[in-house]
């Protein structure tokens, strides 16, 4: 990884890519989504402030644990004056995101367990296959108090 001399305060997109490990196309994408910003030189070339490196590291770390870009953008936008995340910001947000990650893992575990029932079955029944009818829409529409409410609304 190439070192950037301390006296250099702005980076070209190539330098930022080389130093951060992100592809140039990814950096352009982050910029198009408002996650990082640059200024343009008189020759219309992008220049990134040095602290964009930390911002990119933050974005990539969050992406690795599956945090959607929109959520990352919201988190960055909530920082005072949209500053680059500090060590404390990352510590706090990673704690919040760990909870979300655990919930997603639990959700995937439940899906895996349901999928195990489908293996070798193939019925895709709305009555008995949880993956085919995850919200039990069929059951809700045709039974119990929900039916009574529907009838009441029409009559
Ligand atoms: S396909 Fe039969 S239970 Fe899912």
């Amino acid at each position: 990884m190439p070192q950037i001399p301390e006296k250099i305060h702005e980076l070209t997109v190539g330098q930022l890519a080389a130093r951060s490990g992100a592809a140039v196309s990814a950096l352009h994408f982050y910029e198009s989504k408002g996650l990082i910003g640059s200024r343009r030189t008189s020759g219309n070339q992008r220049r990134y402030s040095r602290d964009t490196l930390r911002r990119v590291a933050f974005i990539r770390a969050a992406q690795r644990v599956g945090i959607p870009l929109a959520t990352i953008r919201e988190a960055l936008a909530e920082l005072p004056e949209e500053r680059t995340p500090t060590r404390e910001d990352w510590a706090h947000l990673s704690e919040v995101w760990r909870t979300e990650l655990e919930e997603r893992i639990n959700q995937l575990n439940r899906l895996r367990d349901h999928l195990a029932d489908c293996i070798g079955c193939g019925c895709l029944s709305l009555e008995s296959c949880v993956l085919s009818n995850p919200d039990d829409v069929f059951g809700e529409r045709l039974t119990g108090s929900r039916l009574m409410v529907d009838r009441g609304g029409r009559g």
Side-chain angles (χ1 to χ4, degrees):
M1 190 180 297
Q3 294 298 311
I4 296 168
E6 281 294 320
K7 65 181 181 188
I8 294 180
H9 298 293
E10 289 189 321
L11 308 173
T12 64
V13 70
Q15 288 171 320
L16 183 59
R19 190 77 180 101
S20 67
V24 168
S25 58
L27 296 172
H28 287 163
F29 183 70
Y30 293 159
E31 191 165 356
S32 74
K33 297 294 176 188
L35 293 157
I36 60 174
S38 65
R39 75 168 184 89
R40 297 291 180 135
T41 64
S42 54
N44 200 31
Q45 294 193 329
R46 291 177 168 93
R47 290 293 182 268
Y48 298 89
S49 64
R50 199 181 172 91
D51 67 354
T52 308
L53 266 174
R54 185 173 174 81
R55 223 171 152 89
V56 172
F58 174 89
I59 295 164
R60 285 167 54 89
Q63 278 193 296
R64 277 195 195 98
V65 290
I67 305 299
L69 278 182
T71 305
I72 299 170
R73 187 180 47 233
E74 283 168 21
L76 288 170
E78 282 177 18
L79 296 175
E81 295 166 11
E82 297 198 21
R83 67 158 191 252
T84 294
T86 62
R87 175 185 290 257
E88 290 73 29
D89 294 329
W90 174 244
H92 168 69
L93 284 166
S94 55
E95 177 66 33
V96 171
W97 288 340
R98 181 179 67 173
T99 307
E100 288 178 26
L101 186 60
E102 282 169 359
E103 178 48 38
R104 264 187 289 143
I105 289 168
N106 290 336
Q107 217 171 12
L108 284 171
N109 281 335
R110 286 193 296 274
L111 280 173
R112 181 201 55 205
D113 294 345
H114 293 316
L115 186 62
D117 293 337
C118 295
I119 293 171
C121 174
C123 71
L124 290 175
S125 163
L126 289 177
E127 288 175 49
S128 57
C129 178
V130 177
L131 292 182
S132 182
N133 186 8
D135 302 321
D136 195 19
V137 172
F138 189 71
E140 263 188 36
R141 258 196 259 132
L142 297 178
T143 60
S145 59
R146 181 75 182 264
L147 185 61
M148 298 300 281
V149 170
D150 283 349
R151 281 185 179 157
R154 276 185 244 127

